[in-house]
Amino acid sequence: MFLRSAFPMFAVSLLLSATQATADPAMECNTNGGSQVDIRRCLGEVENNVDLALEIALEFAMDAAKELDNVTGRAVAVPSLQAGQAAWSDYRDKHCEYVGATFGGGSGTGIAIRSCRIELGRVRTDMLMRYTVELTT
């Protein structure tokens, strides 16, 4: 059981460790003073990695929720996780649209939206993994 619960944390931490150097994804992608095109490309790569880590974390959380529902004989954890994920996804999209809107349509709008999605995705991944470990230990 330990190996099963330790591997998910290790796998997701590997995916995120290279991109969590600072709190601001746009700053992470601009360490060499690149252009906005370079920053957008970098943010696209980082966002893809975060999305992948989030998918993996969600799979592990879903497995843990199923196991919990089986052990308790109640169908509560899985539907709650599904509803929570749907609500979180909608929140992320709407909130990051708002963040982009604060740039007034300027050239940094896309960068701000992607940075927002990365930041929120990292937090969500971390939260899912915390509950995965709690549910499986």
Side-chain angles (χ1 to χ4, degrees), residues 18 21-22 24-35 38-39 42:
T22 65
D24 181 11
M27 186 179 290
E28 293 171 24
C29 286
N30 193 27
T31 57
N32 295 326
S35 68
D38 294 333
I39 295 169
C42 173

Side-chain angles (χ1 to χ4, degrees), residues 48-68:
N48 288 339
N49 288 338
V50 169
D51 286 347
L52 177 60
L54 181 58
E55 286 177 33
I56 292 168
L58 185 57
E59 287 177 24
F60 290 136
M62 188 59 69
D63 288 345
K66 288 175 185 174
E67 185 176 325
L68 180 62

Side-chain angles (χ1 to χ4, degrees), residues 2-84:
F2 171 74
L3 186 56
R4 182 170 175 243
S5 63
F7 179 73
M9 288 295 291
F10 177 71
V12 173
S13 67
L14 279 177
L15 285 170
L16 290 179
S17 64
T19 59
Q20 282 191 308
T22 65
D24 181 11
M27 186 179 290
E28 293 171 24
C29 286
N30 193 27
T31 57
N32 295 326
S35 68
Q36 285 191 358
V37 171
D38 294 333
I39 295 169
R40 272 189 231 112
R41 184 180 62 249
C42 173
L43 287 173
E45 293 170 5
V46 172
E47 186 178 12
N48 288 339
N49 288 338
V50 169
D51 286 347
L52 177 60
L54 181 58
E55 286 177 33
I56 292 168
L58 185 57
E59 287 177 24
F60 290 136
M62 188 59 69
D63 288 345
K66 288 175 185 174
E67 185 176 325
L68 180 62
D69 281 351
N70 286 336
V71 168
T72 62
R74 304 177 324 148
V76 177
V78 169
S80 296
L81 177 58
Q82 290 169 330

Side-chain angles (χ1 to χ4, degrees), residues 93-115:
D93 294 346
K94 300 291 189 247
H95 178 72
C96 293
E97 285 176 26
Y98 162 72
V99 168
T102 66
F103 280 72
S107 61
T109 300
I111 291 171
I113 292 170
R114 275 224 156 117
S115 293

